[in-house]
């Protein structure tokens, strides 16, 4: 069954006084484009995350978000990085000396030093992030499972809607096939009427009428186009129930639908068929819009 390219999934794991939360979101895209956003200390996991995403998703713009929260008792305890704090103080003193020489005076406070990056950090954050690899990937697997389930359900809705439009298209093709022979009969009747007006009491050459009607029938014949349209409908139906990424194939097939419809429209010289072709193309466009969402 086809799947949608849009979806959302969330997973989380609690371990060692931390909560690891992973979110996966996607929107339509021609190819697979995965973006991972997470704390710098966990960048070593980016390749593993991309690999797992690629095993689940073939197309789409994917955003993966990793957030870490401290939940243990030590979450309220802070670690003071004394060497770093002293380095900040020394640098500020040197800057202050330069400012004093320039006539600028500014005091250095402990509160200012505490606000500098990594001077004060939660106790848990000083542990090695490598220990969290299994938990983070487990949370990712949960998110991907929920994400894939959502895409599958949305894919079913897309398949149902596309199938409805396919039935309408099949009905329009049947109308065109039924109407096409009638246009030849009507053309022959008009031709005979005009010849009688021109030739008055003279005999009408039946062979000439048959020949002209045959030439006209050949010019407006759309049998090949309607047969191909039915073939395309069959192929599209098979794709709707196939596994894997078929969105791009479906998009190409819809272009062929349009090609056949345009050919029928250019060949026909009949108001009823022209109107049916307009309705036919409108249904094809509705399918094309939905196909853009298929993986």
């Amino acid at each position: 069954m086809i799947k949608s390219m849009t979806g959302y999934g969330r997973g989380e794991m609690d371990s060692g006084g931390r909560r690891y939360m992973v979110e996966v979101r996607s929107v339509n895209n021609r190819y697979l484009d995965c973006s991972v956003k997470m704390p710098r200390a966990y960048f070593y996991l980016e390749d593993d995350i991309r690999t797992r995403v690629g095993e689940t998703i073939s197309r789409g713009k994917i955003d993966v978000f990793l957030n870490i929260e401290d939940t243990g008792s030590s979450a309220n305890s802070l670690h003071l990085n004394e060497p770093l704090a002293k380095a900040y103080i020394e640098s500020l003193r040197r800057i202050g000396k330069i400012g004093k020489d320039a006539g600028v005076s500014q005091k250095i406070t402990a509160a200012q030093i505490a606000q500098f990056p990594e001077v004060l950090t939660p106790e848990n954050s000083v542990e090695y992030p490598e220990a969290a690899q299994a938990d983070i990937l487990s949370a990712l697997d949960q998110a991907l499972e929920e994400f894939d389930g959502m895409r599958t359900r949305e894919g079913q809705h897309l398949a149902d809607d596309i199938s409805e439009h396919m039935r309408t298209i099949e009905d329009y093709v049947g109308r065109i096939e039924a109407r096409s022979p009638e246009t030849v009969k009507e053309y022959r009747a008009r031709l005979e009427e005009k010849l009688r007006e021109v030739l008055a009491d003279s005999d009408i050459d039946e062979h000439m009428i048959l020949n002209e009607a045959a030439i006209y029938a050949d010019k407006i014949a759309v049998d090949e186009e309607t047969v191909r349209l039915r073939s395309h409908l069959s192929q599209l139906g098979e794709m709707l129930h196939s596994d894997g990424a078929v969105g791009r194939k479906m998009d190409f097939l819809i272009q062929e639908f349009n090609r056949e419809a345009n050919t029928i429209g250019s060949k026909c010289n009949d108001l009823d068929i022209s109107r049916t072709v307009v309705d036919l193309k409108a249904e094809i466009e509705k399918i094309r819009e939905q196909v853009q969402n298929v993986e």
Side-chain angles (χ1 to χ4, degrees):
M1 180 60 66
I2 62 172
K3 295 181 181 180
S4 171
M5 273 193 285
T6 59
Y8 172 82
R10 187 177 188 275
E12 64 177 57
M13 286 289 294
D14 288 319
S15 178
R18 280 193 180 87
R19 177 174 294 124
Y20 304 100
M21 296 168 291
V22 177
E23 290 182 297
V24 179
R25 302 174 185 173
S26 71
V27 294
N28 299 350
N29 197 54
R30 190 171 183 181
Y31 303 103
L32 177 61
D33 180 10
C34 181
S35 174
V36 183
K37 298 177 177 63
M38 56 186 173
R40 182 180 299 275
Y42 296 84
F43 278 4
Y44 72 98
L45 278 174
E46 185 170 351
D47 287 341
D48 290 337
I49 291 174
R50 289 180 182 276
T51 298
R52 296 209 179 190
V53 168
E55 291 171 353
T56 305
I57 307 161
S58 300
R59 293 176 65 206
K61 175 67 175 68
I62 317 299
D63 289 314
V64 180
F65 301 92
L66 169 62
N67 292 308
I68 298 98
E69 289 183 359
D70 291 307
T71 60
S73 59
S74 60
N76 297 323
S77 302
L78 296 176
H79 170 75
L80 172 61
N81 190 334
E82 291 189 23
L84 182 61
K86 291 178 180 179
Y88 278 129
I89 292 171
E90 180 60 29
S91 296
L92 288 172
R93 282 176 177 168
R94 293 170 61 184
I95 294 173
K97 184 179 180 181
I98 297 174
K100 186 176 181 180
D101 293 341
V104 178
S105 177
Q106 184 175 357
K107 293 182 179 181
I108 303 173
T109 66
Q112 289 176 324
I113 303 301
Q115 292 176 3
F116 286 118
E118 299 183 9
V119 172
L120 291 176
T121 55
E123 286 288 350
N124 279 347
S125 67
V126 300
E127 297 176 4
Y128 292 105
E130 287 81 355
Q133 179 172 353
D135 295 320
I136 292 173
L137 294 180
S138 178
L140 173 63
D141 289 339
Q142 291 179 27
L144 288 174
E145 183 177 357
E146 182 179 311
F147 170 82
D148 202 48
M150 182 175 179
R151 291 197 309 143
T152 301
R153 291 189 296 273
E154 180 62 25
Q156 181 62 61
H157 294 319
L158 290 173
D160 292 343
D161 188 66
I162 291 173
S163 296
E164 184 65 30
H165 294 305
M166 287 172 60
R167 286 189 285 272
T168 304
I169 288 175
E170 189 171 15
D171 179 62
Y172 288 147
V173 171
R175 294 185 195 180
I176 292 171
E177 290 173 332
R179 176 61 185 165
S180 184
E182 296 299 318
T183 61
V184 178
K185 293 180 183 179
E186 293 172 2
Y187 174 77
R188 176 172 176 171
R190 290 196 303 270
L191 181 62
E192 288 180 352
E193 184 179 352
K194 288 182 179 180
L195 287 174
R196 286 192 177 95
E197 292 177 359
V198 172
L199 299 177
D201 296 332
S202 301
D203 293 333
I204 299 175
D205 187 347
E206 183 68 20
H207 178 73
M208 183 187 69
I209 294 177
L210 290 174
N211 189 51
E212 286 294 326
I215 293 173
Y216 179 76
D218 185 62
K219 286 176 59 179
I220 67 167
V222 293
D223 296 17
E224 293 182 6
E225 288 74 21
T226 56
V227 167
R228 282 195 290 266
L229 275 173
R230 291 190 180 275
S231 175
H232 295 337
L233 284 169
S234 177
Q235 289 180 339
L236 185 58
E238 292 175 1
M239 289 181 183
L240 288 178
H241 296 90
S242 64
D243 295 326
V246 294
R248 294 180 67 183
K249 291 181 180 179
M250 294 174 72
D251 189 41
F252 174 78
L253 188 60
I254 293 303
Q255 294 179 37
E256 296 303 307
F257 271 82
N258 272 314
R259 194 189 316 278
E260 304 303 339
N262 287 332
T263 302
I264 293 173
S266 64
K267 278 187 173 183
C268 73
N269 190 23
D270 178 78
L271 183 59
D272 289 339
I273 293 181
S274 296
R275 288 173 175 171
T276 303
V277 168
V278 172
D279 293 335
L280 173 65
K281 293 177 69 174
E283 291 299 312
I284 294 172
E285 178 61 21
K286 291 175 183 177
I287 293 180
R288 189 196 68 80
E289 291 174 355
Q290 294 290 47
V291 165
Q292 304 307 307
N293 299 315
V294 178
E295 181 184 23

